[in-house]
Amino acid sequence: MGLAKTEIFTEEQNQIAIYAKAFSHPARVAILQHLFKINMCICGDLVGVIGLAQPTISQHLKELKLLGLIKGSVEGTSVCYCIHPENWTKMKTVMNQFLDQDLEIDNGCC
C-alpha cells in the first residue's frame, strides 16, 4: 500500500486537506451543526441526537478534536465538547481563501 506522501505538498495544501477531512463524514457534520445549534458545550449523550452508536460518535468526536475544530474537557465522569472558536475561525479563513479562487479567474475556459 502506498504512502500518502504529504511531504511533497505545501503546508497550505495539507492544511486544506486536513480541514476537508472534518466534513468528509455526515456524522461529523451533524455533530458540528448540533454544537453550533445549542451554542454551548455538550456533556451529555449525542446518541439520541445523531442516531449512531456511542462508540461511533466517540470516534467522530475524537477525530474532530484531533483536527482542532472542537475542544473537550473532563467534568466528573463526562467529557464535554464545544466548538474551538479560534481554530474554527482559522479554518474558515483557510477554506474561504481556497474556495474563493474562482473569483480571481477569467471564466473564459471551456
Side-chain angles (χ1 to χ4, degrees):
M1 189 154 139
L3 299 174
K5 296 191 179 187
T6 56
E7 68 275 357
I8 67 171
F9 300 102
T10 67
E11 183 178 334
E12 178 188 41
Q13 290 166 334
N14 280 296
Q15 192 63 55
I16 291 166
I18 288 168
Y19 288 142
K21 186 176 182 181
F23 305 108
S24 68
H25 195 286
R28 289 194 285 272
V29 173
I31 290 168
L32 290 168
Q33 287 176 320
H34 183 69
L35 289 173
F36 276 112
K37 181 180 176 183
I38 64 169
N39 195 27
M40 59 192 302
C41 289
I42 186 164
C43 301
D45 195 7
L46 281 169
V47 172
V49 175
I50 306 298
L52 296 172
Q54 185 61 51
T56 304
I57 290 174
S58 293
Q59 186 60 39
H60 288 299
L61 287 167
K62 179 182 173 186
E63 190 66 38
L64 289 169
K65 190 172 179 192
L66 259 166
L67 295 170
L69 297 180
I70 65 172
K71 54 186 177 178
S73 61
V74 177
E75 293 189 16
T77 58
S78 298
V79 179
C80 300
Y81 291 98
C82 60
I83 298 294
H84 192 302
E86 295 85 10
N87 288 352
W88 185 263
T89 300
K90 180 182 173 187
M91 182 272 307
K92 281 177 35 179
T93 300
V94 170
M95 294 304 287
N96 282 334
Q97 288 172 350
F98 175 69
L99 294 171
D100 286 346
Q101 292 179 93
D102 63 318
L103 302 176
E104 301 171 9
I105 60 171
D106 177 16
N107 286 336
C109 178
C110 307

